[in-house]
Amino acid sequence: MPIKLRFKLELIFLYLKRHWILFSTLTILVSVSIIFRQQLFNFYTKLNPPIQKIGLEGLYSLNNLPEEIAQKISYGLTQSDDSGHFSTSPLVKNLDINPEHNQYTFEIDPQLSWHRGKKLTAKDINYQIPGLEFSYPDYTHVVVKSNTTFSPILSTLSKSLIKKNFDGLGTHVVKRYRYSEGNLKTLLLKSTDNSILYRFYQHENDLINAFKIGEVDQITLTNDPQELANWPNTNLSKDVRTDERYIALFINTKKLASKSLRQALAYATPKTNDLNDRAISPISPSSWAYNPEVKAYNYDPARAKELFKNNEIESLSLVYNDQRLVSLADEIKKAWQEILNINVDAHIDTQIDLQNYDIILAYGSIPTDPDQYVFWHSTQQKTNLTHLDHPPIDKLLEEGRQSFDVQERKKIYQEFQKILLEECPAIFLKYPTYYTISRKT
């Protein structure tokens, strides 16, 4: 063996002998990492879950967060099940209701803390709800009193409690957020299982472009995403949501006072043939109070002409304030002009005069509780969009929020839907379809 090579080997041997503990430890660690590499990877991903990047369209702030986000960050005092029945949330240990149903005493779980470490106390429950009075006998009890009998009270207490700095009580902690011009741009949530980065975009085109360039890996659209249907490495799912909003034509009953005219317009309006997304009333079909046996006003040009023949109206204004409704408005305009032989001015207007319009094409909200008082009662001048003034409907709406018997309320709201559809202050069209596009993993 050459002298130089022998010298090098002896030098290596001496080095290994001096540092044998270090090299033995490294050898063991490498061996363990190879044998248990899958378990180690799972442990790492649990500590550092991959970030799910989701894009949403809309202008949002702390005060109007989408429900899907707010419910991750925190809880309210109550929560609903799939059928719209309310019970206490994880914040509440016990609920006591007096026999008159006008005082609710919530016992807060004293072991709970806000995400930033401060203990949850009764005074943190700071809802500002007209007609409800809050008091705090001690740090674990909240007493809610109603000035009048009000059966939907539990539903009004379901809004997620979130502090100004996005401090919450739910499964996900807000780790980071960014505002621009008063609106949220990003919001990072983290739980023990996952991390979600929400990015917000003002327009649908911006949302689509963000997906294309990789800023987000999942988006939801309300228009059929034809350009993304064959986009590589993507999944596309379709979902009709019947418990959030519906699309309807809201008729100004002060200007179009004739019921036969309103019914004629309803029969002359094209509607979807898909029963899964067809809306026929303002109450969700998943609600215990839904009445499927109301007048549906299926598309019937002959019946429309028959009802319209004694009306002297020659023109109508159809207004909407959402660009996504353009094609639907044009379709309705064409049908009314052809069937009823009237001139229809269909146009978009971002500042609709709610006191002086003919017909508005818009989205209507579906509350979790079937209470419809604010939308259709004659006294609700700011929220009764159609200006409906119908004493039998007023009476039913008053009775519906004064009864605590579910079966009795069901009868009331089913009768309400029957009369409302007969009066036809609105033409219910469909539930919005949501298209979710996600990148394959």
Side-chain angles (χ1 to χ4, degrees), residues 176-332:
R176 186 174 71 244
Y177 60 91
R178 182 172 67 87
Y179 275 98
S180 177
E181 298 180 352
N183 299 306
L184 275 173
K185 289 302 177 184
T186 61
L187 185 67
L188 177 63
L189 275 59
K190 187 173 183 179
S191 73
T192 55
D193 299 321
N194 67 344
S195 294
I196 308 172
L197 175 63
Y198 291 98
R199 294 185 184 275
F200 302 92
Y201 302 88
Q202 185 170 352
H203 303 292
E204 188 170 274
N205 286 338
D206 297 331
L207 188 61
I208 293 172
N209 290 332
F211 181 82
K212 288 180 176 179
I213 65 176
E215 276 190 356
V216 292
D217 296 323
Q218 178 181 310
I219 59 174
T220 300
L221 310 173
T222 52
N223 290 318
D224 192 349
Q226 297 180 0
E227 63 178 301
L228 294 176
N230 298 315
W231 195 261
N233 198 39
T234 60
N235 292 317
L236 190 151
S237 62
K238 179 180 175 181
D239 180 29
V240 178
R241 300 179 190 171
T242 63
D243 58 353
E244 297 178 357
R245 298 190 300 173
Y246 58 82
I247 301 172
L249 291 157
F250 297 92
I251 304 172
N252 187 341
T253 58
K254 285 186 176 180
K255 295 184 72 174
L256 303 178
S258 168
K259 182 171 74 172
S260 62
L261 168 59
R262 299 195 297 266
Q263 290 182 337
L265 291 169
Y267 281 116
T269 303
K271 301 173 186 73
T272 175
N273 294 320
D274 187 346
L275 296 180
N276 292 319
D277 61 7
R278 173 71 200 282
I280 61 173
S281 96
I283 293 179
S284 169
S286 63
S287 170
W288 49 267
Y290 180 68
N291 186 356
E293 304 298 327
V294 298
K295 186 176 285 188
Y297 296 102
N298 293 322
Y299 184 57
D300 188 342
R303 180 64 174 148
K305 290 177 181 179
E306 180 184 351
L307 288 166
F308 187 75
K309 62 185 178 182
N310 294 324
N311 287 284
E312 299 180 354
I313 189 168
E314 297 180 353
S315 63
L316 279 174
S317 173
L318 173 59
V319 64
Y320 51 95
N321 64 0
D322 194 312
Q323 195 70 32
R324 292 170 293 186
L325 299 174
V326 172
S327 60
L328 182 57
D330 290 341
E331 183 183 6
I332 294 168

Side-chain angles (χ1 to χ4, degrees), residues 122-166:
K123 288 188 176 181
D124 289 328
I125 314 301
N126 57 352
Y127 290 112
Q128 302 296 319
I129 302 174
L132 296 184
E133 177 186 333
F134 290 76
S135 59
Y136 312 95
D138 54 53
Y139 75 98
T140 61
H141 287 86
V142 181
V143 177
V144 184
K145 292 182 180 180
S146 175
N147 299 330
T148 59
T149 305
F150 184 54
S151 54
I153 187 170
L154 291 180
S155 69
T156 65
L157 300 173
S158 63
K159 184 178 180 181
S160 299
L161 295 159
I162 305 175
K163 292 185 177 182
K164 291 183 178 180
N165 57 1
F166 286 95

Side-chain angles (χ1 to χ4, degrees), residues 376-400:
W376 308 103
H377 197 278
S378 60
T379 62
Q380 304 301 294
Q381 297 181 4
K382 293 183 178 180
T383 51
N384 180 357
L385 186 61
T386 65
H387 309 293
L388 180 66
D389 188 351
H390 193 273
I393 286 180
D394 283 356
K395 185 173 184 294
L396 287 168
L397 292 173
E398 291 161 9
E399 292 174 348

